Amino acid sequence: MTPGVGSPQAEPRPRTRRHWPIRFSSPPGALRQYLEVLAMLVLRDRVRIEASSKCQLRCPICPTATGVNRHGSVGWGNLSIDALRQFVDAHPGIRKIELSNWGEIFLNPELKEIIEYAHQMGVKLTGDNGVNFNVVNDEVLEALVRHKFTSLTISIDGASNETYQVYRKGGDLDRVIGNIERLNTFKEKYGSRLPRLIWQFVIFGHNEHELPLARALAKQLGMSFRSKLSADHWDRSYAPVRDADFVRTQSGLGVASREEFRERYGRDYKLPCQQLWLSPQINWDGKLLGCCENIWGDYGNVFESGLNSCIRSERYVYTKKMLLGQAEPRSDLPCFNCSFYRNRSLLRFFNANRAKRLLRFVFQAHVLRGNTALDSIVDIARSAQLSKDLVRFVRELPVALIHAA
Protein backbone atom coordinates (compact mmCIF):
# COMPACT_ATOMS: atom_id res chain seq x y z
CA MET A 1 0.00 0.00 0.00
CA THR A 2 1.34 3.41 -0.91
CA PRO A 3 1.88 5.63 2.17
CA GLY A 4 -0.85 8.18 2.82
CA VAL A 5 -2.80 7.35 -0.33
CA GLY A 6 -6.02 5.32 -0.40
CA SER A 7 -6.76 2.65 -2.97
CA PRO A 8 -7.60 4.61 -6.12
CA GLN A 9 -10.49 3.76 -8.36
CA ALA A 10 -9.66 3.39 -12.03
CA GLU A 11 -10.32 6.56 -14.02
CA PRO A 12 -12.56 6.54 -17.11
CA ARG A 13 -10.92 5.83 -20.44
CA PRO A 14 -8.84 8.87 -21.46
CA ARG A 15 -9.32 10.88 -24.62
CA THR A 16 -6.74 10.29 -27.31
CA ARG A 17 -3.99 12.89 -27.10
CA ARG A 18 -2.20 14.74 -29.85
CA HIS A 19 1.57 14.77 -29.83
CA TRP A 20 4.51 17.18 -29.50
CA PRO A 21 6.78 18.30 -31.11
CA ILE A 22 4.38 20.35 -33.24
CA ARG A 23 0.84 19.24 -33.86
CA PHE A 24 -0.74 21.67 -36.34
CA SER A 25 -4.01 19.88 -35.61
CA SER A 26 -6.34 22.83 -36.23
CA PRO A 27 -5.91 26.41 -37.48
CA PRO A 28 -5.83 27.97 -33.96
CA GLY A 29 -3.51 25.25 -32.64
CA ALA A 30 -1.35 25.46 -35.74
CA LEU A 31 -1.00 29.21 -35.41
CA ARG A 32 -0.22 29.07 -31.70
CA GLN A 33 2.48 26.44 -32.12
CA TYR A 34 3.95 28.15 -35.15
CA LEU A 35 4.23 31.36 -33.11
CA GLU A 36 5.82 29.46 -30.25
CA VAL A 37 8.47 27.89 -32.48
CA LEU A 38 9.14 31.20 -34.24
CA ALA A 39 9.56 32.92 -30.88
CA MET A 40 11.98 30.21 -29.70
CA LEU A 41 14.07 30.59 -32.85
CA VAL A 42 14.18 34.37 -32.70
CA LEU A 43 14.63 34.79 -28.95
CA ARG A 44 16.93 31.75 -28.50
CA ASP A 45 16.15 31.82 -24.78
CA ARG A 46 16.35 28.17 -23.76
CA VAL A 47 18.84 25.34 -23.50
CA ARG A 48 19.11 21.92 -21.90
CA ILE A 49 21.96 21.36 -19.41
CA GLU A 50 22.30 17.97 -17.76
CA ALA A 51 22.51 18.39 -13.97
CA SER A 52 23.79 14.85 -13.46
CA SER A 53 24.53 11.96 -15.80
CA LYS A 54 24.65 9.59 -12.82
CA CYS A 55 21.77 7.27 -11.94
CA GLN A 56 21.33 4.81 -9.09
CA LEU A 57 18.75 2.61 -10.84
CA ARG A 58 19.45 -0.33 -13.15
CA CYS A 59 16.76 -0.04 -15.81
CA PRO A 60 17.39 -2.97 -18.21
CA ILE A 61 17.61 -1.18 -21.57
CA CYS A 62 18.76 2.30 -20.54
CA PRO A 63 22.21 3.28 -21.89
CA THR A 64 23.02 4.88 -18.53
CA ALA A 65 22.25 1.74 -16.53
CA THR A 66 23.97 -0.59 -19.00
CA GLY A 67 27.17 1.50 -18.82
CA VAL A 68 27.19 2.63 -22.45
CA ASN A 69 27.11 6.33 -21.59
CA ARG A 70 30.01 6.20 -19.14
CA HIS A 71 32.47 5.57 -21.96
CA GLY A 72 31.10 8.01 -24.55
CA SER A 73 30.59 11.75 -24.75
CA VAL A 74 28.16 11.82 -21.84
CA GLY A 75 30.44 10.32 -19.19
CA TRP A 76 29.68 10.18 -15.47
CA GLY A 77 29.46 13.40 -13.50
CA ASN A 78 27.55 16.39 -12.14
CA LEU A 79 27.04 19.98 -13.24
CA SER A 80 28.83 22.26 -10.76
CA ILE A 81 27.29 25.42 -9.35
CA ASP A 82 30.35 27.34 -10.53
CA ALA A 83 29.83 26.17 -14.12
CA LEU A 84 26.13 27.05 -13.95
CA ARG A 85 26.90 30.53 -12.61
CA GLN A 86 29.48 31.12 -15.31
CA PHE A 87 27.10 29.99 -18.05
CA VAL A 88 24.12 32.02 -16.84
CA ASP A 89 26.23 35.15 -16.33
CA ALA A 90 27.78 34.81 -19.80
CA HIS A 91 24.41 34.19 -21.51
CA PRO A 92 21.89 36.68 -20.11
CA GLY A 93 19.44 35.89 -22.89
CA ILE A 94 18.86 32.36 -21.59
CA ARG A 95 15.64 32.30 -19.56
CA LYS A 96 14.78 28.58 -19.45
CA ILE A 97 16.94 25.54 -18.71
CA GLU A 98 15.90 21.88 -18.75
CA LEU A 99 18.10 19.99 -16.27
CA SER A 100 17.28 16.31 -16.87
CA ASN A 101 18.57 13.99 -19.56
CA TRP A 102 20.44 10.70 -19.09
CA GLY A 103 20.87 10.78 -15.32
CA GLU A 104 19.03 11.63 -12.10
CA ILE A 105 19.23 15.34 -11.27
CA PHE A 106 18.69 14.70 -7.54
CA LEU A 107 22.05 12.94 -7.29
CA ASN A 108 23.76 16.30 -7.86
CA PRO A 109 24.99 17.43 -4.40
CA GLU A 110 24.83 21.10 -5.49
CA LEU A 111 21.30 20.98 -6.89
CA LYS A 112 19.89 23.21 -4.13
CA GLU A 113 22.43 25.93 -4.93
CA ILE A 114 21.75 25.55 -8.67
CA ILE A 115 18.01 26.01 -8.09
CA GLU A 116 18.60 29.05 -5.86
CA TYR A 117 20.95 30.78 -8.28
CA ALA A 118 18.77 30.19 -11.33
CA HIS A 119 15.79 31.71 -9.51
CA GLN A 120 17.89 34.66 -8.38
CA MET A 121 18.85 35.31 -12.01
CA GLY A 122 15.31 34.91 -13.36
CA VAL A 123 15.98 31.62 -15.13
CA LYS A 124 13.17 29.06 -15.12
CA LEU A 125 14.18 25.44 -14.49
CA THR A 126 12.42 22.23 -15.49
CA GLY A 127 13.07 18.52 -15.06
CA ASP A 128 10.75 17.26 -17.77
CA ASN A 129 12.93 14.77 -19.59
CA GLY A 130 12.33 12.67 -16.49
CA VAL A 131 13.48 12.01 -12.93
CA ASN A 132 13.06 8.85 -10.83
CA PHE A 133 12.61 10.80 -7.55
CA ASN A 134 13.79 7.94 -5.35
CA VAL A 135 16.33 9.97 -3.39
CA VAL A 136 15.72 13.62 -2.47
CA ASN A 137 16.10 15.42 0.85
CA ASP A 138 13.80 17.98 2.45
CA GLU A 139 16.16 20.90 1.75
CA VAL A 140 15.98 20.25 -1.97
CA LEU A 141 12.23 19.62 -1.86
CA GLU A 142 11.71 22.96 -0.14
CA ALA A 143 14.03 24.70 -2.61
CA LEU A 144 11.96 23.35 -5.52
CA VAL A 145 8.93 25.15 -4.10
CA ARG A 146 10.53 28.31 -2.64
CA HIS A 147 12.48 29.04 -5.82
CA LYS A 148 9.64 28.22 -8.21
CA PHE A 149 11.06 25.24 -10.06
CA THR A 150 8.64 25.14 -12.98
CA SER A 151 7.83 21.45 -13.52
CA LEU A 152 8.97 17.91 -12.80
CA THR A 153 8.20 14.83 -14.85
CA ILE A 154 8.54 11.79 -12.59
CA SER A 155 8.97 8.41 -14.29
CA ILE A 156 6.70 5.92 -12.49
CA ASP A 157 6.02 2.83 -14.57
CA GLY A 158 3.46 1.09 -12.38
CA ALA A 159 0.86 1.49 -9.66
CA SER A 160 2.32 -1.22 -7.41
CA ASN A 161 5.85 -1.78 -6.17
CA GLU A 162 5.95 -5.23 -7.70
CA THR A 163 5.23 -3.90 -11.17
CA TYR A 164 7.29 -0.71 -10.78
CA GLN A 165 10.44 -2.62 -9.85
CA VAL A 166 10.35 -4.85 -12.93
CA TYR A 167 11.90 -2.02 -14.96
CA ARG A 168 12.99 0.53 -12.33
CA LYS A 169 15.38 -1.94 -10.71
CA GLY A 170 16.74 -0.61 -7.44
CA GLY A 171 13.81 1.78 -7.08
CA ASP A 172 11.00 1.79 -4.55
CA LEU A 173 7.55 3.08 -5.45
CA ASP A 174 6.53 3.67 -1.83
CA ARG A 175 9.58 5.89 -1.37
CA VAL A 176 8.79 7.83 -4.56
CA ILE A 177 5.18 8.40 -3.50
CA GLY A 178 6.40 9.49 -0.07
CA ASN A 179 8.72 12.05 -1.69
CA ILE A 180 5.85 13.38 -3.81
CA GLU A 181 3.68 13.75 -0.71
CA ARG A 182 6.45 15.61 1.12
CA LEU A 183 6.85 17.92 -1.88
CA ASN A 184 3.10 18.55 -1.87
CA THR A 185 3.33 19.45 1.82
CA PHE A 186 5.85 22.17 0.98
CA LYS A 187 3.60 23.39 -1.85
CA GLU A 188 0.76 23.73 0.64
CA LYS A 189 3.02 25.49 3.14
CA TYR A 190 4.07 28.13 0.60
CA GLY A 191 0.72 28.29 -1.22
CA SER A 192 2.44 27.45 -4.49
CA ARG A 193 1.32 25.47 -7.53
CA LEU A 194 4.96 25.01 -8.55
CA PRO A 195 6.55 22.78 -9.45
CA ARG A 196 3.86 21.27 -11.66
CA LEU A 197 4.08 17.50 -11.36
CA ILE A 198 3.69 15.02 -14.20
CA TRP A 199 3.44 11.26 -13.70
CA GLN A 200 5.16 9.66 -16.71
CA PHE A 201 4.23 6.04 -17.30
CA VAL A 202 6.42 4.21 -19.83
CA ILE A 203 4.27 1.39 -21.24
CA PHE A 204 5.58 -2.17 -21.25
CA GLY A 205 3.89 -5.54 -21.48
CA HIS A 206 4.39 -6.15 -17.77
CA ASN A 207 2.75 -2.90 -16.60
CA GLU A 208 0.07 -2.01 -19.16
CA HIS A 209 -2.70 -3.45 -16.95
CA GLU A 210 -1.95 -0.81 -14.29
CA LEU A 211 -2.48 2.21 -16.55
CA PRO A 212 -5.97 3.02 -15.13
CA LEU A 213 -4.84 2.68 -11.52
CA ALA A 214 -1.71 4.76 -12.10
CA ARG A 215 -3.80 7.52 -13.66
CA ALA A 216 -6.15 7.51 -10.69
CA LEU A 217 -3.25 7.60 -8.22
CA ALA A 218 -1.68 10.52 -10.10
CA LYS A 219 -4.95 12.44 -9.76
CA GLN A 220 -4.98 11.82 -6.00
CA LEU A 221 -1.47 13.23 -5.77
CA GLY A 222 -2.33 16.36 -7.77
CA MET A 223 -0.28 15.25 -10.76
CA SER A 224 -1.11 15.26 -14.43
CA PHE A 225 -0.68 11.89 -16.14
CA ARG A 226 1.33 11.16 -19.27
CA SER A 227 1.68 7.73 -20.83
CA LYS A 228 4.73 7.14 -23.01
CA LEU A 229 5.57 4.48 -25.58
CA SER A 230 8.74 2.54 -24.80
CA ALA A 231 11.87 3.22 -26.86
CA ASP A 232 12.18 0.76 -29.74
CA HIS A 233 15.53 2.20 -30.88
CA TRP A 234 17.18 0.84 -27.70
CA ASP A 235 15.77 -2.68 -27.68
CA ARG A 236 12.70 -3.47 -29.75
CA SER A 237 12.31 -6.91 -28.15
CA TYR A 238 12.09 -5.79 -24.50
CA ALA A 239 8.64 -6.31 -22.91
CA PRO A 240 6.39 -5.46 -25.90
CA VAL A 241 2.75 -4.68 -25.12
CA ARG A 242 0.47 -7.68 -24.73
CA ASP A 243 -3.00 -6.20 -25.22
CA ALA A 244 -2.66 -3.64 -28.00
CA ASP A 245 -6.35 -2.63 -27.99
CA PHE A 246 -6.25 -2.00 -24.23
CA VAL A 247 -3.11 0.14 -24.58
CA ARG A 248 -4.57 2.13 -27.47
CA THR A 249 -7.57 3.13 -25.42
CA GLN A 250 -6.18 3.36 -21.87
CA SER A 251 -2.98 5.18 -22.79
CA GLY A 252 -4.82 8.00 -24.54
CA LEU A 253 -2.31 7.72 -27.38
CA GLY A 254 -4.48 5.84 -29.85
CA VAL A 255 -1.55 3.56 -30.72
CA ALA A 256 0.23 0.70 -28.95
CA SER A 257 3.83 1.08 -30.19
CA ARG A 258 6.17 3.58 -31.79
CA GLU A 259 6.05 1.59 -35.01
CA GLU A 260 2.27 1.91 -35.08
CA PHE A 261 2.63 5.62 -34.33
CA ARG A 262 4.89 6.03 -37.37
CA GLU A 263 2.40 4.19 -39.56
CA ARG A 264 -0.55 6.23 -38.33
CA TYR A 265 0.97 9.71 -38.21
CA GLY A 266 3.71 9.46 -40.83
CA ARG A 267 6.46 10.62 -38.48
CA ASP A 268 8.46 9.49 -35.46
CA TYR A 269 7.01 9.51 -31.95
CA LYS A 270 9.93 11.61 -30.73
CA LEU A 271 11.74 14.32 -32.65
CA PRO A 272 14.95 15.17 -30.77
CA CYS A 273 16.49 16.68 -33.92
CA GLN A 274 14.49 19.88 -33.38
CA GLN A 275 16.53 20.56 -30.23
CA LEU A 276 19.53 21.66 -32.29
CA TRP A 277 17.44 24.70 -33.21
CA LEU A 278 15.06 25.20 -30.31
CA SER A 279 16.87 24.09 -27.13
CA PRO A 280 20.40 22.76 -27.63
CA GLN A 281 21.54 20.01 -25.27
CA ILE A 282 24.63 20.75 -23.17
CA ASN A 283 26.33 18.02 -21.17
CA TRP A 284 27.12 18.39 -17.45
CA ASP A 285 30.75 19.14 -18.32
CA GLY A 286 29.93 21.76 -20.97
CA LYS A 287 30.12 19.64 -24.12
CA LEU A 288 27.56 20.78 -26.68
CA LEU A 289 25.70 17.60 -27.67
CA GLY A 290 22.99 19.33 -29.69
CA CYS A 291 20.18 16.95 -28.74
CA CYS A 292 19.26 14.69 -25.84
CA GLU A 293 19.92 11.47 -27.82
CA ASN A 294 23.55 12.19 -28.74
CA ILE A 295 26.08 9.92 -27.01
CA TRP A 296 28.61 9.72 -29.89
CA GLY A 297 30.39 13.09 -30.03
CA ASP A 298 30.17 16.81 -29.37
CA TYR A 299 30.41 20.24 -30.99
CA GLY A 300 32.88 21.94 -28.68
CA ASN A 301 32.65 23.03 -25.06
CA VAL A 302 30.13 25.73 -24.20
CA PHE A 303 31.66 26.41 -20.79
CA GLU A 304 35.00 27.16 -22.46
CA SER A 305 34.04 28.79 -25.78
CA GLY A 306 30.50 30.05 -25.20
CA LEU A 307 27.24 28.85 -26.69
CA ASN A 308 27.18 31.19 -29.68
CA SER A 309 30.64 30.14 -30.80
CA CYS A 310 29.74 26.46 -30.62
CA ILE A 311 26.41 26.65 -32.43
CA ARG A 312 28.00 28.72 -35.19
CA SER A 313 30.80 26.21 -35.73
CA GLU A 314 31.16 24.53 -39.11
CA ARG A 315 30.33 21.11 -37.64
CA TYR A 316 27.13 22.27 -35.95
CA VAL A 317 25.86 24.20 -38.98
CA TYR A 318 26.70 21.30 -41.30
CA THR A 319 24.80 18.90 -38.99
CA LYS A 320 21.70 21.09 -39.29
CA LYS A 321 22.01 20.97 -43.06
CA MET A 322 22.33 17.18 -42.90
CA LEU A 323 19.16 16.93 -40.85
CA LEU A 324 17.30 19.11 -43.37
CA GLY A 325 18.54 17.00 -46.28
CA GLN A 326 20.65 19.84 -47.66
CA ALA A 327 24.06 18.20 -47.15
CA GLU A 328 25.54 14.75 -47.60
CA PRO A 329 26.10 12.52 -44.52
CA ARG A 330 29.43 12.87 -42.75
CA SER A 331 30.69 10.03 -40.61
CA ASP A 332 32.64 12.39 -38.32
CA LEU A 333 29.41 13.97 -37.03
CA PRO A 334 27.39 12.44 -34.16
CA CYS A 335 24.09 12.33 -36.05
CA PHE A 336 25.59 9.92 -38.56
CA ASN A 337 25.26 7.19 -35.90
CA CYS A 338 21.71 8.06 -34.87
CA SER A 339 18.59 6.14 -35.91
CA PHE A 340 16.55 9.36 -35.97
CA TYR A 341 18.85 10.75 -38.65
CA ARG A 342 19.02 7.47 -40.58
CA ASN A 343 15.22 7.36 -40.59
CA ARG A 344 15.06 10.99 -41.82
CA SER A 345 12.79 11.80 -38.87
CA LEU A 346 12.93 15.57 -39.23
CA LEU A 347 12.30 15.51 -42.98
CA ARG A 348 9.37 13.13 -42.61
CA PHE A 349 7.85 15.45 -40.05
CA PHE A 350 8.24 18.53 -42.25
CA ASN A 351 6.88 16.76 -45.33
CA ALA A 352 3.68 15.59 -43.61
CA ASN A 353 1.54 18.55 -44.73
CA ARG A 354 1.61 22.15 -45.93
CA ALA A 355 1.66 23.70 -42.47
CA LYS A 356 4.69 21.67 -41.46
CA ARG A 357 6.44 22.56 -44.73
CA LEU A 358 6.07 26.19 -43.71
CA LEU A 359 7.89 25.38 -40.48
CA ARG A 360 10.67 23.80 -42.54
CA PHE A 361 11.23 27.19 -44.19
CA VAL A 362 11.77 28.68 -40.74
CA PHE A 363 14.36 26.05 -39.80
CA GLN A 364 16.14 26.48 -43.14
CA ALA A 365 16.28 30.23 -42.65
CA HIS A 366 17.88 29.83 -39.25
CA VAL A 367 20.62 27.68 -40.77
CA LEU A 368 21.21 30.09 -43.63
CA ARG A 369 21.66 33.29 -41.68
CA GLY A 370 21.74 32.56 -37.97
CA ASN A 371 21.09 35.82 -36.12
CA THR A 372 19.50 37.38 -39.19
CA ALA A 373 17.14 34.45 -39.55
CA LEU A 374 14.11 36.73 -39.63
CA ASP A 375 15.05 38.21 -43.00
CA SER A 376 15.71 34.73 -44.36
CA ILE A 377 12.30 33.53 -43.21
CA VAL A 378 10.70 36.33 -45.18
CA ASP A 379 12.88 35.68 -48.25
CA ILE A 380 12.12 31.95 -48.30
CA ALA A 381 8.41 32.55 -47.72
CA ARG A 382 8.38 34.89 -50.72
CA SER A 383 10.24 32.41 -52.90
CA ALA A 384 7.63 29.81 -51.96
CA GLN A 385 4.93 32.20 -53.23
CA LEU A 386 3.15 32.42 -49.91
CA SER A 387 0.57 35.17 -49.42
CA LYS A 388 1.70 38.75 -48.86
CA ASP A 389 -0.31 38.91 -45.65
CA LEU A 390 1.56 35.91 -44.25
CA VAL A 391 4.91 37.40 -45.23
CA ARG A 392 4.02 40.64 -43.46
CA PHE A 393 2.86 38.66 -40.45
CA VAL A 394 6.11 36.67 -40.27
CA ARG A 395 8.13 39.89 -40.51
CA GLU A 396 6.27 41.83 -37.85
CA LEU A 397 5.55 39.14 -35.24
CA PRO A 398 9.07 38.54 -33.86
CA VAL A 399 9.60 42.26 -33.30
CA ALA A 400 6.50 42.29 -31.11
CA LEU A 401 7.69 39.16 -29.33
CA ILE A 402 11.09 40.68 -28.58
CA HIS A 403 9.53 43.86 -27.17
CA ALA A 404 7.05 41.80 -25.13
CA ALA A 405 9.90 39.80 -23.62
Side-chain angles (χ1 to χ4, degrees):
M1 185 71 177
T2 9
V5 179
S7 298
Q9 298 298 314
E11 289 287 296
R13 189 175 78 185
R15 295 169 60 186
T16 300
R17 289 195 283 109
R18 304 279 183 176
H19 305 276
W20 174 258
I22 302 152
R23 297 187 293 268
F24 290 108
S25 54
S26 63
L31 180 61
R32 182 175 60 255
Q33 292 186 29
Y34 173 76
L35 299 183
E36 179 184 354
V37 171
L38 186 57
M40 290 169 71
L41 283 168
V42 172
L43 300 176
R44 294 179 295 123
D45 64 347
R46 64 195 69 190
V47 294
R48 309 163 64 91
I49 306 179
E50 174 123 80
S52 178
S53 66
K54 300 179 178 182
C55 187
Q56 77 278 40
L57 302 189
R58 303 181 302 280
C59 304
I61 61 173
C62 174
T64 301
T66 58
V68 172
N69 287 353
R70 289 200 190 204
H71 307 294
S73 294
V74 175
W76 193 256
N78 296 314
L79 171 69
S80 71
I81 179 59
D82 290 340
L84 188 279
R85 283 197 191 102
Q86 178 186 359
F87 176 83
V88 170
D89 293 349
H91 301 86
I94 297 297
R95 311 317 300 159
K96 299 177 183 178
I97 299 177
E98 163 65 36
L99 288 180
S100 60
N101 193 25
W102 290 110
E104 172 65 2
I105 69 174
F106 295 103
L107 295 185
N108 187 319
E110 296 184 307
L111 183 62
K112 178 174 175 285
E113 289 75 19
I114 288 172
I115 294 170
E116 290 173 346
Y117 189 73
H119 179 64
Q120 176 186 332
M121 300 303 292
V123 177
K124 295 180 179 180
L125 299 180
T126 58
D128 286 333
N129 200 47
V131 301
N132 67 58
F133 217 52
N134 271 266
V135 178
V136 55
N137 61 48
D138 280 348
E139 285 189 351
V140 172
L141 289 173
E142 186 171 16
L144 290 169
V145 179
R146 285 188 61 198
H147 302 295
K148 302 186 186 304
F149 199 97
T150 304
S151 57
L152 271 178
T153 296
I154 305 175
S155 297
I156 311 175
D157 315 319
S160 67
N161 226 347
E162 180 182 9
T163 298
Y164 171 80
Q165 291 177 338
V166 172
Y167 186 71
R168 303 287 167 181
K169 295 186 182 300
D172 186 308
L173 178 59
D174 291 340
R175 187 166 59 230
V176 173
I177 298 300
N179 289 337
I180 294 169
E181 291 178 331
R182 285 159 54 218
L183 179 57
N184 282 338
T185 299
F186 283 114
K187 290 171 71 171
E188 291 173 9
K189 174 182 176 180
Y190 288 96
S192 176
R193 293 182 297 173
L194 299 180
R196 295 187 297 272
L197 300 179
I198 300 99
W199 179 312
Q200 179 172 270
F201 188 109
V202 181
I203 304 168
F204 298 105
H206 62 261
N207 68 3
E208 62 190 41
H209 63 288
E210 292 190 348
L211 272 164
L213 289 175
R215 182 180 294 104
L217 184 54
K219 184 176 181 180
Q220 283 192 344
L221 291 166
M223 306 174 72
S224 59
F225 185 82
R226 178 188 302 158
S227 47
K228 180 180 179 180
L229 301 171
S230 61
D232 59 6
H233 60 292
W234 289 353
D235 186 346
R236 191 181 296 268
S237 65
Y238 181 82
V241 299
R242 299 167 185 172
D243 188 339
D245 287 337
F246 180 84
V247 170
R248 290 185 191 105
T249 56
Q250 291 298 326
S251 68
L253 299 172
V255 295
S257 67
R258 296 196 182 200
E259 183 176 2
E260 187 178 345
F261 183 96
R262 284 188 284 269
E263 293 173 357
R264 178 170 178 174
Y265 295 103
R267 63 177 177 85
D268 276 305
Y269 178 67
K270 282 183 63 179
L271 192 61
C273 315
Q274 56 158 335
Q275 293 168 8
L276 275 81
W277 283 263
L278 304 180
S279 54
Q281 177 71 53
I282 301 167
N283 204 39
W284 60 271
D285 57 1
K287 295 191 194 84
L288 179 61
L289 302 179
C291 85
C292 64
E293 290 287 333
N294 179 17
I295 61 175
W296 303 281
D298 64 80
Y299 299 92
N301 194 296
V302 169
F303 295 165
E304 297 171 1
S305 305
L307 179 61
N308 288 337
S309 174
C310 291
I311 64 176
R312 291 172 181 166
S313 68
E314 184 274 337
R315 283 166 52 81
Y316 199 79
V317 172
Y318 192 94
T319 295
K320 285 182 174 180
K321 292 179 180 178
M322 274 176 52
L323 293 171
L324 291 170
Q326 297 177 323
E328 292 298 314
R330 264 176 45 182
S331 60
D332 65 313
L333 298 176
C335 293
F336 183 85
N337 302 288
C338 181
S339 62
F340 289 99
Y341 171 67
R342 292 196 301 270
N343 294 334
R344 299 297 189 265
S345 299
L346 192 61
L347 287 179
R348 286 215 309 270
F349 171 76
F350 285 143
N351 292 333
N353 59 46
R354 184 176 180 181
K356 293 185 175 112
R357 285 194 290 274
L358 173 61
L359 189 62
R360 182 179 181 177
F361 296 146
V362 178
F363 276 57
Q364 287 174 338
H366 204 262
V367 173
L368 288 172
R369 299 197 188 170
N371 288 341
T372 59
L374 177 57
D375 291 334
S376 291
I377 294 169
V378 176
D379 292 345
I380 294 175
R382 281 177 173 155
S383 68
Q385 297 182 340
L386 300 174
S387 73
K388 292 182 180 178
D389 288 341
L390 179 58
V391 170
R392 187 180 306 112
F393 167 75
V394 172
R395 179 187 291 277
E396 294 175 357
L397 171 73
V399 177
L401 287 170
I402 292 171
H403 288 306

